Amino acid sequence: MAETMNGLKRTHYCGEFGMKDVGSEVVACGWVQRQRDLGQLIFIDLRDRTGVVQLAFDEAAPRDIFEKAFTARAEFVLAARGVVRERTSKNPELPTGDVEIEVKELRVLAKAETPPFEIVENSNVKEDTRLKYRYLDLRRPDMQQRMIARHRIVKSARDYFDHHGFLEIETPNLIKSTPEGARDYLVPSRVFPGKFFALPQSPQQFKQLLMLSGFDRYVQFARCFRDEDLRADRQPEFTQIDLEMSFVDEDDVMEIGEGFLKHVFKEVLGVEVETPFQRMTWHEGMERFGSDKPDLRFGMELTDLSGALRGTAFRVFASALEKGSVRGINFKGGADRMTRKEIDKLAEWVKDYGAKGLAWTRLASTGESSSYEKFLSEEERAAVRTAMGAEPGDLLFLVASEKNSVVFASLGALRCELAARYNLIDRSKYCFLWITDFPLFEFSEEENRWVAMHHPFTAPREEDVGRLLSDPGSVCARAYDVVLNGYELGGGSIRINDAELQEKMFEALSFTPEEAQRRFGFFIDAFRYGAPPHGGMAVGLDRLVMLMTGTDNIRNVIAFPKVASSADLMSDAPAEVGGKQLEELGIAILPKE
């Protein structure tokens, strides 16, 4: 039978002990990190969320206490009462390494089986195993420190927004499905057979309605849900720091966003973030870095070679130049760092981004070689090298496509891959910037229509409104994303507050008035009663914590995350439900072809 606390009251957390406590009688509780039996001496490292303290047992201790210490194993839960004393053999690497507890009373509160992996920092255990036993994984010191950091970031955020006049207001999690972009999670109801709620992808419409309601400044730590394919930095359910402001323009919202990030980095990390952040248009980001979330911690910018190759007889490049472009990046000093085999593997790797291949020129110390220069004239070869600033030792990579989107995606990903592989990134830097002037629309081949790049309530630039229906592809949005070290931290926009302009936006998206009313009727109706100019943004809390704690996997900063398939390995969700539940909901499961 496990013992109980029964009168023992914890006086300190394990990581709090120091020389100031020598001579004090204390009670510590926690898990056994390890036990060391030296015959006449036994030492136990006791762990809790704050750290580790050493418990000491010698032959002078009562026999029952010594025997309990002898039988204690990893992850047993203990309560120990004793006197703090100075250690004879100190551990300078441990914050509590100057002292130990001479145990006078020991209780085994719970025994533990041998865990499937050792509870240590920076475990190299397979992630699937860690997630299956997440409650054990969360005992590891590095995981606990990330969860504590997450708490501190949230507290810091609440303090900042409260200080700046924001009201924290909750919006509903059971809403109407308005599919436009990522897929909704649907929730059936027994009360409304055949009808469904949806889980919110964002509180977008409700936070705008709060502006119409006169609350002026709103913030929420909102749970959001998207039923879409995942990546290392995405989850099907996530948290965003969501805010909205009335009577503002882009500069006002961006100033609040910058102030928040400056505040939280100072409060939590002690890092001074320089403001205002650099700004870059979407077009410039794509042209220079092939990305709308560029990592500015290293160079290797894209070079447009279309002018140097205009009129070329090389069919691969000529075909690309008819509608698209040929662009390249210069991996400075890379010729002697990469083998031909490694280059060939990269040529296959870029195909995942739509490229048909990767052209290259290697200016190695052992001699020059190229996959494409023999097809060019002498003038064209020289023009390409000059444009790319080529020098001995450089490795030039080119991508050609009739779609600029493919060129940007391929080279944008390639520059990041090379920088990561060859340690070109200064990881001590935090490079913030705003990306502005996004296209308002992007064309969906699947739906054969223009769709909103962000959402249908984003305002167009005033000078572009006249082209909303005649040339939607040229219209820029009053939208902005905040980027940190190659990750989109968040984004937002100034919203449409004019009912006629909103109707025109729906028309540009090929919604009939009836369809717009069916999807967004309550929202459209609200705008008839006076909508102030307003705008806002949302910052991804999970991604912010990930970057601030120095991990590259968002699952490391969420207590109970999902895997890439959106399954929960620990609880085995999603799972089948009983026939009675389905019958009550009026749902039949059809076999999927």
Side-chain angles (χ1 to χ4, degrees):
M1 292 280 294
E3 298 175 276
T4 65
M5 295 288 289
N6 191 22
L8 282 187
K9 299 291 185 182
R10 180 170 59 184
T11 61
H12 297 69
Y13 282 94
C14 293
E16 294 177 342
F17 293 103
M19 289 296 292
K20 68 184 187 306
D21 302 304
V22 170
S24 302
E25 184 172 279
V26 298
V27 176
C29 305
W31 287 260
V32 174
Q33 181 68 32
R34 63 174 179 154
Q35 183 251 44
R36 302 185 302 287
D37 179 7
L38 305 181
Q40 295 180 338
L41 281 173
I42 294 175
F43 295 106
I44 290 176
D45 290 342
L46 194 67
R47 181 195 73 240
D48 66 15
R49 77 185 197 196
T50 65
V52 171
V53 68
Q54 179 169 283
L55 307 182
F57 307 82
D58 57 34
E59 58 183 358
R63 184 167 183 80
D64 64 322
I65 294 178
F66 198 83
E67 288 179 351
K68 287 178 186 177
F70 177 76
T71 59
R73 295 294 178 264
E75 302 312 309
F76 275 34
V77 184
L78 306 180
R81 180 181 62 81
V83 176
V84 179
R85 68 188 186 191
E86 188 173 0
R87 285 173 62 162
T88 55
S89 178
K90 298 185 178 182
N91 182 353
E93 296 182 4
L94 199 64
T96 61
D98 290 339
V99 297
E100 63 188 10
I101 300 174
E102 181 186 357
V103 178
K104 305 297 186 183
E105 183 179 359
L106 183 68
R107 297 187 190 178
V108 179
L109 304 177
K111 295 182 178 180
E113 297 179 6
T114 302
F117 51 85
E118 190 178 3
I119 310 299
V120 293
E121 194 163 348
N122 299 318
S123 172
N124 60 0
V125 177
K126 277 184 166 181
E127 186 180 51
D128 283 2
T129 303
R130 290 174 49 209
L131 293 178
K132 181 175 176 61
Y133 299 96
R134 186 61 162 185
Y135 42 87
L136 296 178
D137 190 44
L138 286 172
R139 292 182 187 176
R140 296 192 301 106
D142 51 326
M143 287 299 300
Q144 294 200 333
Q145 288 309 305
R146 292 188 190 110
M147 293 301 111
I148 292 168
R150 183 183 179 112
H151 158 77
R152 289 175 177 161
I153 290 167
V154 169
K155 181 184 181 303
S156 177
R158 281 196 161 97
D159 291 343
Y160 173 82
F161 287 111
D162 178 66
H163 180 73
H164 285 82
F166 285 79
L167 303 175
E168 187 170 347
I169 303 175
E170 295 177 344
T171 55
N173 276 341
L174 292 175
I175 64 172
K176 181 179 181 180
S177 178
T178 55
E180 180 72 13
R183 292 185 175 90
D184 289 334
Y185 277 105
L186 300 178
V187 181
S189 169
R190 289 184 304 103
V191 182
F192 301 100
K195 294 185 178 181
F196 296 83
F197 292 105
L199 298 179
Q201 297 179 33
S202 148
Q204 185 61 45
Q205 295 177 52
F206 290 95
K207 69 176 183 176
Q208 290 191 241
L209 292 177
L210 287 171
M211 296 303 100
L212 272 68
S213 303
F215 286 103
D216 191 72
R217 288 191 169 198
Y218 138 97
V219 70
Q220 181 181 192
F221 296 80
R223 297 291 287 168
C224 303
F225 308 84
R226 289 180 186 169
D227 188 8
E228 61 182 358
D229 295 333
L230 306 180
R231 298 194 294 267
D233 63 336
R234 287 199 174 173
Q235 284 282 294
E237 53 179 317
F238 56 96
T239 305
Q240 64 186 36
I241 303 172
D242 198 68
L243 60 105
E244 197 79 6
M245 306 164 62
S246 292
F247 307 106
V248 293
D249 60 18
E250 292 91 328
D251 290 337
D252 298 314
V253 181
M254 293 159 83
E255 183 179 352
I256 283 289
E258 288 178 355
F260 159 62
L261 291 168
K262 183 180 181 70
H263 172 82
V264 76
F265 269 75
K266 177 64 175 177
E267 287 287 308
V268 178
L269 298 182
V271 171
E272 289 285 357
V273 170
E274 187 177 340
T275 55
F277 297 166
Q278 179 180 344
R279 296 190 186 187
M280 184 182 299
T281 67
W282 178 88
H283 179 78
E284 182 183 353
M286 300 305 289
E287 289 282 336
R288 291 177 59 189
F289 302 99
S291 173
D292 57 6
K293 46 183 180 293
D295 191 338
L296 302 184
R297 292 174 296 173
F298 60 97
M300 216 185 310
E301 296 188 19
L302 277 61
T303 301
D304 188 353
L305 301 169
S306 302
L309 293 167
R310 189 70 61 192
T312 182
F314 182 34
R315 189 172 60 182
V316 173
F317 289 171
S319 177
L321 292 172
E322 289 179 6
K323 295 182 180 179
S325 63
V326 181
R327 299 171 194 260
I329 57 175
N330 183 347
F331 179 15
K332 302 296 291 183
D336 293 318
R337 302 181 72 176
M338 293 192 73
T339 65
R340 172 63 188 272
K341 186 176 181 180
E342 289 172 327
I343 293 172
D344 289 342
K345 284 184 178 179
L346 279 183
E348 289 299 313
W349 182 83
V350 296
K351 291 180 180 179
D352 290 343
Y353 297 89
K356 294 178 181 178
L358 184 64
W360 52 270
T361 293
R362 191 165 172 239
L363 306 177
S365 58
T366 54
E368 297 182 1
S369 55
S370 177
S371 67
Y372 67 89
E373 284 193 342
K374 62 184 177 183
F375 301 108
L376 303 182
S377 69
E378 187 65 39
E379 292 77 10
E380 288 168 344
R381 288 196 294 271
V384 168
R385 291 191 182 192
T386 298
M388 298 185 72
E391 298 174 320
D394 292 349
L395 181 53
L396 313 181
F397 289 111
L398 279 65
V399 171
S401 176
E402 294 181 359
K403 293 182 177 179
N404 279 326
S405 59
V406 169
V407 178
F408 291 142
S410 304
L411 290 176
L414 180 59
R415 69 178 288 271
C416 292
E417 179 69 14
L418 292 171
R421 282 193 195 184
Y422 296 96
N423 298 317
L424 307 179
I425 301 172
D426 182 350
R427 299 192 181 277
S428 67
K429 284 186 176 181
Y430 292 103
C431 291
F432 290 90
L433 80 152
W434 290 104
I435 297 292
T436 65
D437 297 313
F438 282 83
L440 185 63
F441 303 101
E442 55 188 344
F443 193 80
S444 169
E445 301 287 350
E446 182 181 347
E447 299 185 41
N448 193 35
R449 68 176 180 92
W450 292 101
V451 297
M453 181 172 273
H454 287 84
H455 55 68
F457 315 115
T458 298
R461 289 191 311 194
E462 291 182 20
E463 60 267 33
D464 296 347
V465 169
R467 301 193 305 278
L468 202 59
L469 300 178
S470 60
D471 189 12
S474 70
V475 177
C476 285
R478 296 180 67 182
Y480 33 84
D481 279 0
V482 61
V483 175
L484 171 59
N485 294 352
Y487 289 90
E488 175 200 333
L489 263 188
S493 66
I494 299 301
R495 325 302 188 185
I496 297 171
N497 74 306
D498 178 83
E500 289 185 14
L501 180 57
Q502 187 65 69
E503 288 178 8
K504 189 177 288 188
M505 179 71 171
F506 287 142
E507 185 180 351
L509 292 168
S510 301
F511 292 172
T512 64
E514 294 75 22
E515 186 178 7
Q517 187 67 29
R518 179 176 57 81
R519 289 195 183 196
F520 309 108
F522 75 98
F523 189 72
I524 296 171
D525 291 344
F527 276 72
R528 297 172 182 165
Y529 298 96
H534 59 286
M537 64 178 295
V539 172
L541 174 62
D542 310 301
R543 198 171 293 176
L544 176 62
V545 178
M546 180 184 81
L547 292 169
M548 291 184 69
T549 57
T551 182
D552 60 359
N553 188 333
I554 206 165
R555 290 187 281 276
N556 286 336
V557 298
I558 298 172
F560 299 103
K562 307 294 192 291
V563 294
S565 65
S566 77
D568 182 344
L569 299 184
M570 183 185 69
S571 66
D572 199 26
E576 295 179 355
V577 297
K580 185 177 180 181
Q581 285 178 278
L582 294 176
E583 186 178 341
E584 287 179 338
L585 293 166
I587 292 176
I589 305 297
L590 301 177
K592 190 172 182 179
E593 295 182 3

